Amino acid sequence: MVEQDSEFIKLIVEVGTTIMFLFSLSIVTLVYYFYGRLLKQKYS
Amino acid sequence: MSLSIFLAYISSYSLIPALLIGGIMYKKDVFSESLKIVYLCICFVLLMEIPEWVFYYQHKKNHFLVNIHIFFEFFILAYAYYHFAKVKIQKTIIALFMLVEACLLPTFNFSSWDNFNHFNSIANSVASLLMIAILFMYFYNLLQTLETKNILKEPWFWISAGALFYYSGVLFVFIFSDDILFSQSKSFTILWNIYYSFLFVFRIFLAIGLWLSKTQNLLNSSSKSVLQ
């Protein structure tokens, strides 16, 4: 039972960390992309 | 040498580039006030890491030092963003976040030394969440103000990106830190390596950000704030 719990927590941490990392990576990429576009719009 | 210890060494040594670059830039007087606070944060982290390693070599638990380290690291970084913000409402929100984190101090269990020397998952997880919110505010305002010509030469963009990777990456590790740190299973404790890996990334991004402080000053001679 304890081992099952450990495996479940391990899965949550691994999946959660992967999701959060991908989320932060997409935020940074989107900020970079939109910053370029908005800057182009502003000064074109 | 185990993978955990190797990663712990690497993440600690990765502080050196940020420290050296920061020292050079500080001497050249190219830092804005907010970047000086970030450099202060790096110096504080170094001061905390030395006793952490001393405790490790003496085979003593150093969790209380890690708690203090993460707690004040959040405080100093949040204060840097507070200093960076110009609009009152955002300063208020950041100040409120700092107050919330300070209110979580009682969750450090002072009842006994063993309890105190225990990783505080509540305070550290909340610190991660609050910092993610502060970073979102920064990115939102960066897009609103468009003050820098090249975003890749903006020091705060690199520092914030590194901080976002770190705080979002370690969030789940902090939430389940009790289970991870005190598990008997080796495959389970290896999850703590996630913390060291993201710490390494954050410190490298910090070094890049501090290095670019010189470039930013050449592009924008006046000290500007994007949190408006």
Side-chain angles (χ1 to χ4, degrees):
Chain A
M1 188 67 181
V2 174
E3 203 161 294
Q4 265 188 341
D5 282 349
S6 295
E7 284 304 310
F8 183 61
I9 292 168
K10 193 179 168 187
L11 185 76
I12 294 173
V13 173
E14 283 172 349
V15 172
T17 303
T18 310
I19 290 170
M20 287 305 282
F21 173 67
L22 291 174
F23 171 69
S24 56
L25 191 71
S26 30
I27 293 289
V28 172
T29 313
L30 282 173
V31 167
Y32 171 70
Y33 173 74
F34 281 112
Y35 194 89
R37 278 195 66 161
L38 288 168
L39 208 67
K40 223 173 175 180
Q41 247 178 24
K42 195 179 174 182
Y43 293 107
S44 62
Chain B
M1 189 192 286
S2 70
L3 180 68
S4 294
I5 300 303
F6 174 73
L7 285 172
Y9 274 123
I10 291 288
S11 64
S12 281
Y13 282 129
S14 60
L15 194 64
I16 295 170
L19 198 76
L20 289 176
I21 291 167
I24 294 165
M25 295 303 165
Y26 189 89
K27 219 175 174 186
K28 283 187 178 177
D29 205 21
V30 290
F31 278 166
S32 62
E33 285 301 313
S34 326
L35 282 175
K36 279 179 187 169
I37 299 167
V38 173
Y39 187 59
L40 174 80
C41 182
I42 294 168
C43 294
F44 170 78
V45 168
L46 178 80
L47 280 178
M48 289 306 297
E49 289 226 345
I50 295 166
E52 278 170 27
W53 278 107
V54 170
F55 270 65
Y56 168 76
Y57 283 121
Q58 291 180 344
H59 305 286
K60 287 177 185 169
K61 267 174 80 180
N62 60 3
H63 292 162
F64 77 102
L65 284 168
V66 182
N67 285 334
I68 297 166
H69 170 166
I70 295 169
F71 186 79
F72 282 102
E73 191 181 43
F74 165 81
F75 248 82
I76 302 171
L77 263 182
Y79 182 68
Y81 282 99
Y82 174 85
H83 198 274
F84 202 40
K86 276 187 179 168
V87 171
K88 210 176 175 185
I89 183 79
Q90 285 176 343
K91 277 184 181 279
T92 314
I93 292 170
I94 296 172
L96 200 71
F97 283 177
M98 288 163 79
L99 190 72
V100 168
E101 183 61 15
C103 289
L104 288 171
L105 256 178
T107 59
F108 287 98
N109 195 333
F110 297 104
S111 60
S112 73
W113 173 249
D114 272 346
N115 284 333
F116 179 63
N117 199 4
H118 195 270
F119 194 84
N120 190 337
S121 63
I122 301 168
N124 297 334
S125 311
V126 173
S128 300
L129 278 172
L130 296 177
M131 187 50 78
I132 291 169
I134 292 172
L135 292 166
F136 273 25
M137 272 200 307
Y138 165 78
F139 285 129
Y140 174 75
N141 286 288
L142 185 75
L143 289 173
Q144 266 202 331
T145 51
L146 304 171
E147 282 185 334
T148 316
K149 283 175 194 168
N150 187 352
I151 195 174
L152 292 179
K153 287 184 177 173
E154 166 65 36
W156 278 101
F157 174 72
W158 285 91
I159 294 168
S160 304
L164 188 64
F165 288 142
Y166 169 66
Y167 282 105
S168 55
V170 297
L171 180 65
F172 278 85
V173 178
F174 282 174
I175 292 171
F176 295 101
S177 56
D178 283 340
D179 303 284
I180 293 168
L181 289 169
F182 299 102
S183 168
Q184 299 298 317
S185 163
K186 215 173 179 183
S187 67
F188 201 55
T189 49
I190 215 159
L191 286 173
W192 194 249
N193 293 342
I194 294 170
Y195 167 73
Y196 294 130
S197 310
F198 281 107
L199 196 61
F200 171 76
V201 172
F202 180 33
R203 287 172 179 182
I204 295 299
F205 274 58
L206 261 179
I208 297 169
L210 293 179
W211 176 254
L212 290 170
S213 59
K214 197 181 171 187
T215 320
Q216 187 217 19
N217 276 13
L218 291 172
L219 283 169
N220 307 312
S221 52
S222 61
S223 168
K224 286 177 178 175
S225 165
V226 284
L227 278 179
Q228 285 175 10

